Amino acid sequence: GEDVEQSLFLSVREGDSSVINCTYTDSSSTYLYWYKQEPGAGLQLLTYIFSNMDMKQDQRLTVLLNKKDKHLSLRIADTQTGDSAIYFCAENTFRGSTLGRLYFGRGTQLTVWP
Amino acid sequence: DADVTQTPRNRITKTGKRIMLECSQTKGHDRMYWYRQDPGLGLRLIYYSFDVKDINKGEISDGYSVSRQAQAKFSLSLESAIPNQTALYFCATSDPGTGTETQYFGPGTRLLVL
């Protein structure tokens, strides 16, 4: 497909793990990203993964990359109410242009219940 | 990110008015972007500029124009505002020298067109 796709909503209980999934379009994308948007704020880079990696871990965050299926996931361990936000997946690709840039998914609204 | 600022933060205008949204950055990045965000639609690219002399249309440039006055400044204009341009507008920057194309976002401008 032509779009970066994510499910729109995810609800979890505080203390559980959250897994946000994304499918992207271009198997030659060099970097894939997760951004976080808190209410009323701009997007903040959460983490990124280089395409030659399968996994990247950063404290409570684990990114898994399956290049064969063009699937990216973000796992948040011990999810807290402060993790409630919109999470955007993005890929760095050319899509026929001579210059690469980022293409974003629609975002997944994560709601964490106490 | 305080390194990317947007003015105004909120704006109410009437149909047919011309308005300008401004973006300034102190990150020293060559690349700058304007996006709009609508609920459920994620981020859509309006225009982008890879350096002061390079301006490119994004997916939804109709009804918008831009000006790259300097490396640090990138302005977005709505020539004749219409209600369906009511949205949250984000400016972003990136530095191709890092190789990652990570984008850094401003806090956003909330625009309401009556």
Side-chain angles (χ1 to χ4, degrees):
Chain A
E2 284 294 311
D3 293 334
V4 177
E5 295 187 351
Q6 310 175 230
S7 54
L8 293 183
F9 302 99
L10 176 65
S11 293
V12 300
R13 284 199 177 278
E14 190 173 25
D16 288 349
S17 291
S18 308
V19 179
I20 303 172
N21 294 300
C22 169
T23 56
Y24 58 97
T25 67
D26 188 352
S27 57
S28 64
S29 292
T30 52
Y31 287 92
L32 295 127
Y33 310 79
W34 285 104
Y35 280 81
K36 177 183 181 182
Q37 183 184 27
E38 295 182 347
L43 278 71
Q44 267 188 296
L45 178 68
L46 205 53
T47 187
Y48 64 86
I49 187 167
F50 187 47
S51 59
N52 69 353
M53 299 170 66
D54 298 322
M55 184 180 84
K56 180 178 181 181
Q57 191 151 0
D58 182 3
Q59 299 183 332
R60 292 190 298 121
L61 305 178
T62 303
V63 178
L64 295 178
L65 176 60
N66 180 330
K67 285 189 70 175
K68 175 176 171 291
D69 294 337
K70 291 183 280 187
H71 184 267
L72 183 73
S73 68
L74 174 70
R75 179 177 180 270
I76 305 172
D78 188 25
T79 313
Q80 303 297 307
T81 54
D83 294 323
S84 292
I86 302 175
Y87 291 80
F88 291 92
C89 169
E91 64 173 338
N92 179 16
T93 185
F94 288 79
R95 287 196 187 178
S97 169
T98 56
L99 294 170
R101 62 176 181 87
L102 296 193
Y103 289 84
F104 289 86
R106 295 187 175 191
T108 299
Q109 172 72 61
L110 173 64
T111 302
V112 182
W113 301 99
Chain B
D1 190 323
D3 298 323
V4 183
T5 56
Q6 294 182 234
T7 55
R9 293 294 313 277
N10 295 279
R11 179 76 185 266
I12 301 173
T13 192
K14 294 182 179 179
T15 297
K17 294 291 188 182
R18 182 179 189 277
I19 66 161
M20 180 182 289
L21 309 183
E22 301 196 16
C23 177
S24 293
Q25 52 117 346
T26 59
K27 299 184 83 66
H29 291 172
D30 284 330
R31 297 185 176 184
M32 298 186 75
Y33 310 79
W34 275 105
Y35 293 91
R36 66 176 277 176
Q37 183 180 25
D38 299 277
L41 294 180
L43 290 173
R44 293 184 291 168
L45 184 64
I46 306 171
Y47 271 95
Y48 60 107
S49 169
F50 278 3
D51 64 40
V52 175
K53 297 180 182 178
D54 177 75
I55 304 284
N56 303 281
K57 292 183 177 181
E59 286 89 36
I60 54 162
S61 59
D62 287 348
Y64 301 95
S65 62
V66 290
S67 173
R68 184 81 184 266
Q69 301 94 323
Q71 187 204 39
K73 295 186 183 298
F74 193 34
S75 300
L76 176 72
S77 294
L78 284 67
E79 300 300 327
S80 177
I82 55 177
N84 77 0
Q85 291 178 312
T86 292
L88 187 52
Y89 289 84
F90 288 106
C91 173
T93 74
S94 69
D95 176 8
T98 66
T100 67
E101 278 301 333
T102 298
Q103 291 188 12
Y104 297 87
F105 284 79
T109 295
R110 192 170 296 277
L111 176 66
L112 173 61
V113 183
L114 299 174

